[in-house]
């Protein structure tokens, strides 16, 4: 037979389906690769072509020469593939044929999107807690999570009384979050699991996992009295210290000698200690005189400071001489915050033993304060981002709302006053015109606000506005306006 007769008599495409169905998840934009794998693929890509060819069952009986897409409307839910195949029909006779296969795109939710669409469904949860009076630690954690995009795999974030809950659809994502938190704050965690369902035929069990993480109850500017065994491990450092910074360890400072101690998570839980006082229990003092003593350690300069309580003005002439590390920033006439040990009563065994064995100072100065800030408007030319946390149905009471706003204001002041602290987070320019107007008015004021700490424009980032509608919708809107 001639070539035309062979082509008319023999159909080498027999057994290869001319139509097939592709399952597509519109939420995550992935295609189903049987039996249960969902793969991402763009239109007219190699991945999508591979997926289409795997759907054709009889293709292994012929030799595939070429394959390519035929253009179709993106919204037609149709994908056409042009195939060129060869097959030996007689001895030393190979027939080549070109044909088209049409794929119908059918919508189907993948398992992950199904769990997300259902309410109260999660695979693992990370419960982060800290038993302190304020939430400034969580505000700082929130900024670190946003900067490193550590919340990208969460299905929900819920704020609780003493912390935050992170919900995940996979256990591996929760473990990754716990490892991230352990690298930035000193903490310990426990793992528990709950059996949800079990298939008795295949012995496949479904569990929910809970990771309960607790951050050490020590925060920045806290006054602590470490155990004697822990102090001997740092060269017999003085037991009464202040906390200067919290990272993956606790950074402590002795204001009398400028000696430092970095307490790791392991060392803390071996010799645990609590805070004697937090920033809310600090007293404001007026600086009368500053006498530098010479030793310098980084930004800390050892000095003797003559101070008097701000509340004692007009009542008595009581003064104190305090050894401090703030010699580089304190001047006569400034105000400073510190702990009044002369009037304080701490319920701590280590502190009682220390008070009996050695004399304690009357005042421990912690940080410089800016009383003129109270007269200044709260509007700032910068801002920080926040996580999209789930809001409880019951609104907080007025006292709790005032406490939240006060914690946020103190956290903002920490960012302004400490350049090293704000270098670890992202700060964005504020687009509020009213904030710029308020700042202009403040500059024209006769008050001497030059010493107030400010954030320079070089440290701020331009906030990126992500358009979730897509370019197609913008083009349609432009056409309608024309």
């Amino acid at each position: 037979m001639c070539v035309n007769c062979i082509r008319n008599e023999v159909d080498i495409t027999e057994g290869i389906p001319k139509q097939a169905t592709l399952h597509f998840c519109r939420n995550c934009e992935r295609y189903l690769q049987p039996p249960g794998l969902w793969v991402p693929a763009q239109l007219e890509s190699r991945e999508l072509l591979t997926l289409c060819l795997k759907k054709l069952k009889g293709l292994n009986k012929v030799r595939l020469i070429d394959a390519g897409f035929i253009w179709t409307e993106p919204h037609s839910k149709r994908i056409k593939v042009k195939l060129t195949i060869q097959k030996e029909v007689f001895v030393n006779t190979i027939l080549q044929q070109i044909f088209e296969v049409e794929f119908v795109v059918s919508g189907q939710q993948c398992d992950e999107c199904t769990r997300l669409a259902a309410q109260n469904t999660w695979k693992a949860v990370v419960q982060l807690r800290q038993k302190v009076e304020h939430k400034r630690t969580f505000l700082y954690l929130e900024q670190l999570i946003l900067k490193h995009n550590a919340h990208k795999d969460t299905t929900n974030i819920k704020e609780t009384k003493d912390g935050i809950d992170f919900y995940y659809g996979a256990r591996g994502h929760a473990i990754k979050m716990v490892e991230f938190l352990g690298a930035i704050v000193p903490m310990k965690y426990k793992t528990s699991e709950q059996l949800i369902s079990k298939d008795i035929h295949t012995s496949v069990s479904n569990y929910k996992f809970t990771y309960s993480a607790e951050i050490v109850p020590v925060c920045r500017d806290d006054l602590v009295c470490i155990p004697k065994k822990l102090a001997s491990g740092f060269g017999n450092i003085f037991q009464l210290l202040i906390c200067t910074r919290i990272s993956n360890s606790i950074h402590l400072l002795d204001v009398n000698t400028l000696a430092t101690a970095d307490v790791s998570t392991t060392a803390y839980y071996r010799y645990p200690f609590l805070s004697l006082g937090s920033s809310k229990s600090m007293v404001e003092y007026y600086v009368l005189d500053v006498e530098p003593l010479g030793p310098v350690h980084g930004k800390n300069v050892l000095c003797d400071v003559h101070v008097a309580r701000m509340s004692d003005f007009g009542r008595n002439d009581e003064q104190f001489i305090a050894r401090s590390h703030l010699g580089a920033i304190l001047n006569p006439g400034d105000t400073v915050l510190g702990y009044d040990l002369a009037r304080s009563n701490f319920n701590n065994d280590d502190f009682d033993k220390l008070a009996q064995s050695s004399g304690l100072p009357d005042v421990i100065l912690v940080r410089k304060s800016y009383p003129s800030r109270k007269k200044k408007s709260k509007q700032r030319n910068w801002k920080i981002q926040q996580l999209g946390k789930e809001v409880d149905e019951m609104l907080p009471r007025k006292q709790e709302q005032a406490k939240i706003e006060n914690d946020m204001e103190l956290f903002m002041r920490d960012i302004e006053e400490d350049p090293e602290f704000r270098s670890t987070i992202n700060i964005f320019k504020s687009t509020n015109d009213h904030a710029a107007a308020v700042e202009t008015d403040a500059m024209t004021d006769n008050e001497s606000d030059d010493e107030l700490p400010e954030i320079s424009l070089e440290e701020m980032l331009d906030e990126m506005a992500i358009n979730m509608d897509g370019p197609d919708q913008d083009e349609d809107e432009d056409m309608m306006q024309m």
Side-chain angles (χ1 to χ4, degrees):
M1 286 191 295
C2 64
V3 176
N4 293 331
C5 293
I6 294 176
R7 187 169 294 168
N8 292 332
E9 292 291 333
V10 180
D11 184 14
I12 62 175
T13 64
E14 187 178 0
I16 302 175
K18 304 303 185 294
Q19 283 190 343
T21 304
L22 290 176
H23 296 285
F24 177 69
C25 180
R26 291 181 293 180
N27 295 329
C28 59
E29 297 183 353
R30 294 186 299 175
Y31 292 88
L32 175 62
Q33 180 177 330
L37 181 63
W38 292 84
V39 294
Q42 298 293 329
L43 290 176
E44 299 188 4
S45 63
R46 288 185 175 183
E47 294 80 6
L48 185 57
L49 183 61
T50 303
L51 189 63
C52 293
L53 295 179
K54 287 182 179 180
K55 297 283 288 186
L56 304 179
K57 295 182 179 180
L59 204 59
N60 56 351
K61 298 180 181 179
V62 297
R63 182 183 180 186
L64 180 64
I65 301 301
D66 188 22
F69 288 101
I70 300 175
W71 186 87
T72 56
E73 288 288 345
H75 302 291
S76 64
K77 301 296 181 182
R78 297 292 186 274
I79 297 176
K80 292 184 177 180
V81 179
K82 182 180 179 181
L83 301 176
T84 303
I85 60 173
Q86 288 182 353
K87 186 178 182 180
E88 186 176 2
V89 291
F90 300 112
V91 179
N92 296 329
T93 304
I94 299 176
L95 186 64
Q96 180 172 316
Q97 192 170 345
I98 301 175
F99 67 103
E100 297 178 5
V101 179
E102 185 181 50
F103 294 89
V104 180
V105 180
S106 176
Q108 178 180 336
Q109 270 192 332
C110 64
D111 296 337
E112 295 181 5
C113 293
T114 304
R115 286 196 295 267
L116 290 177
Q119 295 181 354
N120 300 324
T121 56
W122 46 270
K123 190 75 174 179
V125 59
V126 178
Q127 298 175 341
L128 188 62
R129 300 289 185 269
Q130 187 184 32
K131 298 177 181 178
V132 292
E133 298 177 350
H134 54 80
K135 287 198 172 185
R136 286 158 58 194
T137 303
F138 288 103
L139 293 174
Y140 179 59
L141 269 179
E142 189 175 341
Q143 298 306 312
L144 292 179
I145 291 172
L146 285 169
K147 182 176 182 178
H148 298 281
N149 198 22
H151 65 296
K152 61 180 180 179
D153 298 321
T154 57
T155 60
N156 190 19
I157 302 175
K158 186 180 294 185
E159 188 171 5
T160 60
K161 182 180 179 181
D162 295 328
I164 305 176
D165 292 344
F166 299 92
Y167 295 89
Y168 295 91
R171 183 187 181 187
H173 297 157
I175 295 175
K176 187 177 179 181
M177 184 64 173
V178 171
E179 292 176 349
F180 172 77
L181 293 173
I184 58 176
V185 290
M187 51 161 272
K188 65 177 181 179
Y189 70 94
K190 295 180 180 179
T191 307
S192 62
E193 58 186 29
Q194 180 184 4
L195 179 63
I196 303 301
S197 62
K198 183 176 182 179
D199 191 345
I200 60 175
H201 301 288
T202 60
S203 298
V204 176
S205 301
N206 184 20
Y207 287 93
K208 279 188 175 182
F209 300 91
T210 302
Y211 296 87
S212 300
E214 183 177 356
I215 305 175
V216 297
V218 179
C219 301
R220 190 183 179 197
D221 296 337
D222 283 1
L223 179 67
V224 299
C225 184
I226 63 175
K228 194 170 184 180
K229 290 184 178 179
L230 183 61
S232 62
F234 293 103
N236 288 324
I237 193 173
F238 191 57
Q239 292 178 245
L240 198 61
L241 307 170
I242 61 172
C243 179
T244 57
R245 190 162 61 95
I246 294 290
S247 59
N248 56 356
S249 61
I250 305 173
H251 300 264
L252 303 176
L253 172 68
D254 182 8
V255 296
N256 297 311
T257 61
L258 300 184
T260 59
D262 294 344
V263 183
S264 62
T265 306
T266 307
Y268 175 82
Y269 286 108
R270 186 181 300 150
Y271 304 106
F273 56 89
L274 299 176
S275 299
L276 298 178
S278 62
S279 57
K280 292 186 178 181
S281 59
M282 288 194 292
V283 180
E284 196 170 19
Y285 291 89
Y286 184 81
V287 179
L288 301 174
D289 191 15
V290 180
E291 299 178 4
L293 298 179
V296 179
H297 186 271
K299 63 179 181 179
N300 299 322
V301 177
L302 193 64
C303 64
D304 281 339
V305 186
H306 297 252
V307 295
R309 298 189 190 95
M310 294 288 288
S311 59
D312 288 346
F313 278 159
R315 296 182 181 180
N316 55 58
D317 297 332
E318 190 176 8
Q319 299 181 10
F320 303 95
I321 300 178
R323 187 68 54 88
S324 176
H325 62 291
L326 302 175
I329 59 176
L330 286 184
N331 296 302
D334 291 342
T335 56
V336 63
L337 293 174
Y339 293 100
D340 190 357
L341 300 185
R343 294 183 178 179
S344 301
N345 185 16
F346 301 115
N347 186 15
N348 187 279
D349 294 337
D350 293 325
F351 180 80
D352 295 338
K353 294 178 182 177
L354 181 63
Q356 294 174 2
S357 60
S358 61
L360 297 178
D362 294 329
V363 176
I364 293 182
L365 303 180
V366 178
R367 62 190 302 177
K368 184 179 179 180
S369 64
Y370 301 90
S372 57
R373 189 196 296 274
K374 300 176 182 178
K375 303 176 184 179
K376 189 179 178 182
S377 176
K378 290 185 179 179
Q379 293 288 347
R380 293 178 169 90
N381 63 345
W382 57 273
K383 62 180 180 179
I384 54 177
Q385 291 182 339
Q386 289 184 315
L387 289 173
K389 298 184 286 289
E390 182 179 334
V391 181
D392 294 335
E393 296 180 359
M394 296 182 62
L395 295 176
R397 294 179 297 179
K398 290 184 178 180
Q399 297 87 344
E400 296 177 354
Q401 186 65 31
K403 184 179 178 182
I404 294 173
E405 293 177 358
N406 184 47
D407 290 342
M408 177 59 74
E409 177 64 23
L410 293 177
F411 179 69
M412 293 286 199
R413 293 181 183 181
D414 289 341
I415 295 175
E416 288 177 337
E417 295 173 7
D418 193 347
E420 183 180 354
F421 180 69
R422 65 173 174 260
S423 64
T424 59
I425 64 177
N426 289 335
I427 301 173
F428 298 91
K429 297 178 183 178
S430 178
T431 56
N432 191 359
D433 297 334
H434 179 65
V438 170
E439 183 139 346
T440 304
D441 295 339
M443 292 175 62
T444 59
D445 197 357
N446 294 329
E447 228 175 5
S448 60
D449 290 346
D450 296 337
E451 63 176 8
L452 286 177
E454 297 290 345
I455 299 178
S456 61
L457 291 175
E458 289 79 7
E459 298 179 77
M460 301 181 193
L461 301 174
D462 291 324
E463 191 172 15
M464 182 182 296
I466 300 177
N467 185 12
M468 302 300 292
D469 298 332
D472 297 336
Q473 186 168 347
D474 294 341
E475 293 177 0
D476 295 341
E477 292 178 358
D478 295 340
M479 291 294 291
M480 291 177 66
Q481 292 177 359
M482 293 176 61

